Each structure stands twice: as structure tokens, then as C-alpha cells.
């Protein structure tokens, strides 16, 4: 019988650990960014864009873990820059900053979802041919 610890170590490879650490960093960044702006309609849209980003990264991780980690790192970098500008440099909810922030997160998430669908379809086609 295989010890339980061995099974856990075998199923959680380093890419998974790095992905979940990066995912949690993005989650914390989204919470701080949404809470710092005060609650209004723009913050609700920003929260929805963050939720879409986190869900699409998680779905991509199920299909292509390394691609998901790369996309998550890119999301963290531009979200850190835009969050800083949004929290410290935007006065009275500078509309362009908010909308650019929401648009960038949404476009990347939609592109990531399209990538997931294409990868999944290719994998199913390759499996059915074998």
C-alpha cells in the first residue's frame, strides 16, 4: 500500500504550487484594489472583471498548466501597475483608468477562454483518432 503523503506529493507538482501561489496573489490584489476604491458601480464592474480573470486562469490551468502560469504572471504584472495607478493616482474615479483596467482584464480573459476551448477540442480530436 502506498503511503498517503507520497500520493499527495506525486499529484502536486511544482508548477501547480507556483500557479496557486500566483493565483492567491492576484486574488489578494483584486480584493485590495476593489476595497480601496470604495463601493460603487465601477468597483462592481472591476470585481466582475477580476472574477472572470481568476476563473479563466483556473480553467486554463486544468487544460494547460504552464500556459496558465505564464498568463497569470502577466496578469499580476499589469494589474499591479494599473492597481497602483488606480488607487494612488486616480482622483474621483478617473474614468479612463477604470475602463482601461476593466477592458484589459476582460479581453485577456476572453482570449484565454478561447484558447482553452481550442486546446480542449484539439485534445479530444487527438484522443478520438487513437
Amino acid at each position: 500500500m502506498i503511503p498517503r503523503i507520497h500520493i499527495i506529493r506525486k499529484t502536486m507538482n511544482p508548477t501547480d504550487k507556483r500557479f496557486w501561489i500566483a493565483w492567491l496573489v492576484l486574488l489578494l490584489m483584486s480584493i485590495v484594489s476593489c476595497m480601496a476604491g470604495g463601493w460603487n458601480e465601477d468597483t462592481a464592474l472591476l470585481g466582475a472583471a477580476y472574477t472572470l480573470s481568476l476563473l479563466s486562469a483556473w480553467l486554463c490551468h486544468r487544460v494547460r498548466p504552464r500556459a496558465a502560469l505564464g498568463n497569470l504572471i502577466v496578469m499580476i504584472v499589469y494589474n499591479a501597475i494599473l492597481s497602483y495607478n488606480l488607487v494612488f493616482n486616480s482622483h474621483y474615479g478617473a474614468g479612463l483608468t477604470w475602463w482601461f483596467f476593466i477592458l484589459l482584464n476582460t479581453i485577456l480573459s476572453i482570449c484565454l477562454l478561447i484558447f482553452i476551448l481550442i486546446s480542449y477540442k484539439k485534445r479530444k480530436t487527438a484522443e478520438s483518432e487513437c
Side-chain angles (χ1 to χ4, degrees):
M1 186 167 198
I2 299 173
R4 183 180 171 105
I5 295 172
H6 179 68
I7 293 172
I8 292 172
R9 283 186 186 163
K10 192 173 185 179
T11 58
M12 188 81 154
N13 62 19
T15 305
D16 288 341
K17 291 176 187 175
R18 286 179 278 180
F19 171 79
W20 288 113
I21 290 170
W23 196 85
L24 287 173
V25 166
L26 186 61
L27 177 65
L28 289 174
M29 190 184 311
S30 67
I31 291 170
V32 169
S33 182
C34 287
M35 297 303 281
W39 191 254
N40 56 24
E41 295 85 16
D42 291 338
T43 310
L45 287 173
L46 183 61
Y50 267 126
T51 303
L52 183 63
S53 297
L54 289 167
L55 287 174
S56 64
W58 173 72
L59 284 173
C60 185
H61 177 69
R62 294 178 56 99
V63 177
R64 300 267 178 138
R66 291 181 68 152
L69 180 63
N71 278 306
L72 205 54
I73 290 170
V74 168
M75 280 194 253
I76 288 172
V77 169
Y78 75 75
N79 279 317
I81 294 167
L82 290 174
S83 290
Y84 175 81
N85 285 327
L86 189 63
V87 171
F88 294 110
N89 293 336
S90 102
H91 299 287
Y92 307 107
L96 185 59
T97 306
W98 281 94
W99 283 106
F100 182 72
F101 201 33
I102 292 168
L103 186 65
L104 191 59
N105 275 322
T106 306
I107 288 173
L108 183 66
S109 298
I110 289 171
C111 290
L112 198 55
L113 289 172
I114 291 170
F115 172 75
I116 293 166
L117 291 173
I118 292 170
S119 296
Y120 184 75
K121 187 170 179 148
K122 283 183 181 180
R123 182 184 290 175
K124 285 296 181 185
T125 305
E127 287 176 2
S128 65
E129 290 177 357
C130 293

